[in-house]
Amino acid sequence: MMAANLTPVEEAIAHLLNKAPVITDTQRLPLTQSLGRILAQDYQVPADVPPADNSAVDGYALRAEDHTAGQPLAISDRIPAGSAPAPLKPGTAARIFTGSEVPAGADTVVMQERVEVTDNGIVIQAEVKADQNIRRRGQDLAGGSLALAKGTKIRAQEMGLLASMGVAEVTVAKKLRVAVLSTGDELVDPGLPLGPGQIYNTNRFTLLGLLAEAGCDVALCETLRDKRDLTRDTLERAAAQADLIITSGGVSVGEEDHVRAVLEEAGELSLWRMAIKPGKPLAFGSINNTPVLGLPGNPAAVLVTFLVVGMPYIRTRQGRSQVHPVGQQLPSMFSVSSPSIRKEFVRARTETADGKARVNAFSNQSSGVLSSACWANGLAVVPEHTTLAEGDTLTYYPFTELLS
C-alpha cells in the first residue's frame, strides 16, 4: 500500500469536520438533569457572586485600626449566616460565622483560633491586617460578565456555578441521534451459543458504551447481514431515524464488504482509507443526506478510530467549544524500530519510574486485541515515518480526555 493512497489523519479529521453540521435543536432541562449536556446559549451573570462581602472563616469581624495588641475588644453583635447585619459599632468586634455577611464598617475577620475570649471581650493573639479572611462581593462572578459560554459541557462544577447564579433550568442542545450498525453474518449476540465460524458481536457494545459517554442517543442498533440489498435497505431506514450512522466492518476491499459499495452506489463516499494504525479501512460518506462513519471491523481499531476521528466529529456536531484533545508530552518506556507510513495510536498507560510519569505500551498492538485497551488508560502517538527510542518524548492522550 502506497502512502499516497491513504489520507493522513489530520486531513481526514479536517474533512469530517467540514461536513459536520451543528445540531440546532434545543431543549430546556431542570438543572438537576443537566449533567453531561451541552449548553446551547451563553449564560451571563445576573448579579455579583457572592452578592455581598462575607466571612471565609468562623471568627470575629472588626476594623483593623481598632485592634491594639494585648487589649480586649468588646463584642457588640453576633452574625449568623443568612442574616442581614447592622453596621459594626466603632471600637468593637462582631462574632461572625463562615458565609455570614460582613457588617459595614468592618474591614477584616480574625479566625476564632487566633482569639482568646475574656470577660472584657476578645484578645487577639495574631497580627491583624485589613482584608484578611473576607470573600469580597463579586469575587467569584461579577454581574454582567460571561459565566459559561455556549458549547460548554456541563460537569458537576458547571452545575454548581449555574446554581450560584440562581439558574434552575438550562437550555441545552438536543442529543445527537446515532444509528449503530454492525456488519457480518458471523456475528452472534452475547448470551447465545456460538456455531461454527461465529463470534460474539463485540463492536456493538463498545460503540454503545462510547456513545453513552459521548452524550449521544442511540436511535437504532442492528446487525447488517452480508447482503447488498439488505445493507442498502437498513442504511436507508437508519438515515430516516438518525443524525449519524456509525457502522463497524463492511468498508474494506472484500467481496462481502457491502457498506462501502452501497455508499458509492446509492449515496456518497467522500473518504476511504486513512493513514492510521490501527484502522486503515475507515470510510466516510452519506446516504439520503445522513452522514455515515464507517469504522473498521477489528475491535481495537473500532475503539481507536472512534476516539481519534469520531469524537472530534461528534463534538463538532454537538456545538462543543472544545473539539480537539490537548494531550500530554511524556517520555516513552517503549521503543519502535521500524517506521510506518501510518500514524500509530498505541494502546498505552502511564506508569511511574524514578518518580516521574512515563508512557508504557501494551505488548500486543494487534487490531483485534481489545484486552489491550482494558489494560491501557490512553493512546500514545507514534508519528508516521518515525522511530522511537526509550526516553523519547511522545504525545499521550488519556481515554478520559479523548471522550470528554
Side-chain angles (χ1 to χ4, degrees):
M1 178 65 64
M2 298 296 293
N5 295 331
L6 304 177
T7 303
V9 174
E10 292 78 10
E11 186 179 323
I13 293 174
H15 175 82
L16 264 66
L17 300 193
N18 192 46
K19 294 177 176 289
V22 176
I23 298 296
T24 56
D25 292 339
T26 65
Q27 64 182 128
R28 286 186 64 78
L29 289 176
L31 184 58
T32 53
Q33 299 176 20
S34 66
L35 185 66
R37 302 301 294 269
I38 311 301
L39 288 177
Q41 67 175 57
D42 290 341
Y43 276 83
Q44 309 288 337
V45 183
D48 290 341
V49 179
D53 294 350
N54 69 84
S55 177
V57 297
D58 293 339
Y60 296 86
L62 60 141
R63 189 171 58 171
E65 67 182 46
D66 288 339
H67 167 253
T68 301
Q71 296 297 312
L73 201 60
I75 301 174
S76 61
D77 200 359
R78 185 178 185 275
I79 308 170
S83 65
L88 182 69
K89 294 179 180 179
T92 69
R95 179 72 165 116
I96 197 169
F97 300 90
T98 302
S100 298
E101 184 175 334
V102 175
D107 63 6
T108 190
V109 174
V110 179
M111 65 176 61
Q112 63 187 19
E113 291 86 354
R114 301 287 186 174
V115 170
E116 179 187 355
V117 180
T118 72
D119 292 339
N120 297 321
I122 61 169
V123 177
I124 299 172
Q125 299 172 333
E127 185 180 3
V128 176
K129 296 179 179 179
D131 295 324
Q132 66 187 14
N133 299 318
I134 295 177
R135 302 187 187 112
R136 291 299 181 186
R137 174 178 177 172
Q139 172 182 295
D140 193 1
L141 298 169
S145 63
L146 177 66
L148 294 170
K150 177 181 179 180
T152 299
K153 183 176 182 179
I154 302 173
R155 302 168 297 173
Q157 49 266 53
E158 279 77 24
M159 291 177 69
L161 191 65
L162 289 163
S164 76
M165 295 158 46
V167 176
E169 291 187 335
V170 291
T171 301
V172 299
K174 283 195 172 181
K175 288 188 175 184
L176 193 71
R177 298 169 301 164
V178 183
V180 177
L181 304 178
S182 311
T183 69
D185 289 339
E186 75 280 10
L187 298 180
V188 175
D189 288 338
L192 299 175
L194 291 177
Q198 293 183 324
I199 59 172
Y200 286 120
N201 189 343
T202 301
N203 295 335
R204 171 188 292 179
F205 295 90
T206 300
L207 288 170
L208 289 177
L210 290 168
L211 289 167
E213 290 199 63
C216 299
D217 276 339
V218 175
L220 182 71
C221 184
E222 293 186 8
T223 299
L224 288 174
R225 297 305 171 191
D226 291 328
K227 298 290 187 294
R228 184 72 57 87
D229 56 343
L230 292 177
T231 297
R232 177 172 178 170
D233 290 346
T234 305
L235 283 171
E236 290 179 340
R237 181 160 48 86
Q241 301 179 45
D243 303 307
L244 169 66
I245 301 169
I246 296 181
T247 66
S248 60
V251 292
S252 192
V253 293
E255 295 178 2
E256 300 300 328
D257 291 319
H258 298 298
V259 172
R260 177 180 59 84
V262 168
L263 293 180
E264 289 179 316
E265 295 169 0
E268 177 197 23
L269 181 68
S270 60
L271 175 70
W272 180 48
R273 294 187 300 189
M274 188 170 60
I276 188 172
K277 184 179 180 180
K280 179 174 63 176
L282 180 137
F284 182 76
S286 64
I287 189 162
N288 293 347
N289 296 317
T290 297
V292 180
L293 177 60
L295 303 180
N298 284 318
V302 165
L303 176 71
V304 170
T305 51
F306 180 93
L307 293 174
V308 174
V309 180
M311 276 306 302
Y313 176 84
I314 287 173
R315 283 191 284 261
T316 301
R317 295 288 305 270
Q318 292 172 330
R320 296 276 293 276
S321 54
Q322 180 72 35
V323 173
H324 299 285
V326 176
Q328 306 169 13
Q329 299 300 307
L330 294 171
S332 172
M333 294 179 69
F334 64 97
S335 61
V336 176
S337 58
S338 300
S340 172
I341 62 172
R342 295 182 282 164
K343 177 175 286 190
E344 184 171 8
F345 290 83
V346 177
R347 279 87 77 197
R349 70 184 183 192
T350 54
E351 298 179 0
T352 301
D354 301 325
K356 297 181 180 180
R358 300 175 185 272
V359 178
N360 203 4
F362 192 74
S363 58
N364 188 340
Q365 291 292 321
S366 168
S367 60
V369 179
L370 191 58
S371 60
S372 61
C374 298
W375 175 91
N377 55 23
L379 300 176
V381 182
V382 180
E384 52 272 78
H385 311 295
T386 300
T387 58
L388 186 74
E390 289 188 32
D392 286 352
T393 300
L394 49 66
T395 301
Y396 171 77
Y397 297 106
F399 287 141
T400 51
E401 184 182 356
L402 290 166
L403 265 173
S404 66

